[in-house]
Amino acid sequence: MEIELKQVHIGQAIDVRRKELGLTKTEFGKRIDVPQQHVNRILERETIETSRLVKISNALDFNFFALYCQIKPSISGVLAAISLGGNANNQIGDAALAAQVIETQHSIETYKAANEALKEQIELLKEQISRLDENLKDKSAIIELLKERRQ
């Protein structure tokens, strides 16, 4: 059996799920019995205690543990799971899909932030160009005045 372990920013993953469910931070806090200032700390954390993650998983109806560890099924593992009445393909697929969705959402957020930063830089550059254009006009006017005085 091959196990693939992944680095997960658990706070971001929890926040994505919270938003998917349309929960405010206050509502989420009530579900896990913590005040909102603690919710903010949870959402900022890269790691979390397993007992708290169990409580959060139950509150948000999502297995966050599956994000950390992807088990690539072997034929015997799939057959064993199916023979026990489960559907191994869906369970494995759901965990992998959830991890991929969170990873993609994180990438999108990173790209959005970079895009906003670039837009701000473009605006600053436009302002600088405008000031330089004004300076050029002033310089041209000064040159013309000096030429007139020499004549």
Side-chain angles (χ1 to χ4, degrees):
M1 171 171 34
E2 187 178 330
I3 298 175
E4 179 184 341
L5 298 176
K6 291 189 175 189
Q7 284 292 105
V8 175
H9 189 293
I10 194 62
Q12 289 177 348
I14 292 168
D15 201 32
V16 167
R17 178 63 177 165
R18 176 190 67 83
K19 289 174 182 175
E20 285 174 356
L21 295 175
L23 294 175
T24 65
K25 291 179 181 179
T26 303
E27 292 168 328
F28 172 58
K30 286 179 183 175
R31 286 190 179 192
I32 61 171
D33 298 320
V34 299
Q36 183 173 346
Q37 60 267 30
H38 292 288
V39 168
N40 289 332
R41 288 186 200 131
I42 289 170
L43 300 180
E44 293 169 359
R45 296 190 62 184
E46 287 188 44
T47 62
I48 194 166
E49 302 82 18
T50 55
S51 59
R52 178 159 290 174
L53 190 55
V54 167
K55 194 171 195 176
I56 292 169
S57 292
N58 288 327
L60 298 181
D61 193 32
F62 186 86
N63 181 5
F64 289 97
F65 293 94
L67 301 178
Y68 289 99
C69 180
Q70 302 297 313
I71 301 174
K72 295 185 179 179
S74 64
I75 301 256
S76 60
V78 172
L79 294 176
I82 292 170
S83 69
L84 294 172
N87 183 340
N89 290 325
N90 286 346
Q91 291 170 359
I92 292 165
D94 290 347
L97 180 61
Q100 186 177 4
V101 165
I102 288 173
E103 188 176 314
T104 302
Q105 286 172 332
H106 177 68
S107 294
I108 289 170
E109 292 303 318
T110 301
Y111 290 133
K112 282 182 181 178
N115 189 30
E116 287 304 313
L118 288 171
K119 284 180 182 179
E120 289 175 19
Q121 287 179 347
I122 288 170
E123 287 305 313
L124 289 173
L125 289 171
K126 284 179 181 179
E127 290 172 15
Q128 286 179 338
I129 289 170
S130 178
R131 283 193 302 271
L132 290 171
D133 282 342
E134 290 300 317
N135 288 344
L136 272 174
K137 287 177 187 174
D138 290 345
K139 183 180 175 184
S140 295
I142 291 170
I143 290 171
E144 288 302 317
L145 282 173
L146 289 172
K147 283 182 181 177
E148 288 176 12
R149 285 187 184 171
R150 286 189 181 174
Q151 294 176 352

